[in-house]
């Protein structure tokens, strides 16, 4: 029996160890678009346009090189090159793997900034300067 890639359906065993029959076939909505693909730090900005549930289009970021950094003191935004990922509160391993997610602290040309957008969902890295 072959199920979808990331389908997390009910268990097919009884407490006694016997097999339960499938309640229904795997529905398309239960597949959830496959495994998550988190944007990484790359040489250029790489975007893909995907059709999502409901027929809408979503621009996803696969690789990022630049961020839109907001400078609170000057009340303006600048496009700055991302140098490195300093830390990620969501998962410390993300910083080591150069994954860019919301809440990540990134080092840019203008200084350290915290990512405020969801790059995998929004297709852009927006950040606010901390220093």
């Amino acid at each position: 029996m072959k199920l979808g890639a990331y389908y997390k359906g009910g268990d097919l065993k009884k407490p006694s160890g016997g097999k339960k029959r499938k309640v229904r076939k795997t529905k398309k909505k239960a597949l959830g678009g496959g495994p998550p693909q988190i944007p990484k730090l790359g040489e250029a900005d790489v975007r893909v346009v995907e059709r999502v549930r409901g027929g809408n289009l979503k621009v996803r970021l696969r690789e990022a090189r630049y961020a839109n950094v907001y400078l609170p003191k000057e009340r303006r935004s600048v496009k700055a090159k991302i140098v490195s990922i300093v830390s990620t509160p969501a998962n410390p391993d993300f910083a080591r793997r150069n994954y860019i997610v919301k809440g990540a602290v990134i080092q840019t040309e203008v200084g350290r900034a915290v990512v405020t957008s969801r790059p995998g969902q929004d297709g852009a890295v927006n950040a606010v300067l901390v220093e």
Side-chain angles (χ1 to χ4, degrees):
M1 174 177 68
K2 195 169 183 181
L3 297 175
Y6 265 70
Y7 176 66
K8 292 181 174 68
D11 205 352
L12 294 175
K13 279 206 173 179
K14 295 179 188 177
S16 62
K19 277 191 172 180
K20 274 196 263 180
R21 66 176 185 84
K22 262 179 87 176
V23 179
R24 61 163 185 236
K25 68 181 175 89
T26 305
K27 294 201 171 184
K28 189 96 162 62
K29 65 181 178 185
L31 295 174
Q37 294 183 331
I38 307 168
K40 294 187 80 172
L41 182 63
E43 291 304 309
D45 286 359
V46 178
R47 289 178 180 85
V48 289
V49 179
E50 283 180 11
R51 182 196 176 273
V52 291
R53 190 159 162 79
N56 294 317
L57 294 175
K58 193 177 271 192
V59 179
R60 293 186 187 275
L61 199 65
R62 290 278 185 258
E63 287 182 22
R65 190 72 207 156
Y66 295 94
N68 303 315
V69 183
Y70 177 69
L71 312 171
K73 285 180 181 174
E74 298 175 35
R75 287 187 173 179
R76 67 186 183 100
S77 292
V78 292
K79 182 180 177 179
K81 191 179 252 186
I82 302 169
V83 180
S84 65
I85 287 90
V86 180
S87 65
T88 311
N91 186 344
D93 199 40
F94 283 2
R96 279 179 235 128
R97 294 182 188 186
N98 280 335
Y99 287 156
I100 303 168
V101 293
K102 184 177 176 177
V105 179
I106 56 173
Q107 183 67 41
T108 64
E109 291 173 322
V110 290
R112 272 191 189 181
V114 177
V115 179
T116 55
S117 65
R118 296 176 67 192
Q121 304 275 346
D122 305 338
V125 180
N126 296 332
V128 175
L129 196 71
V130 180
E131 294 174 349

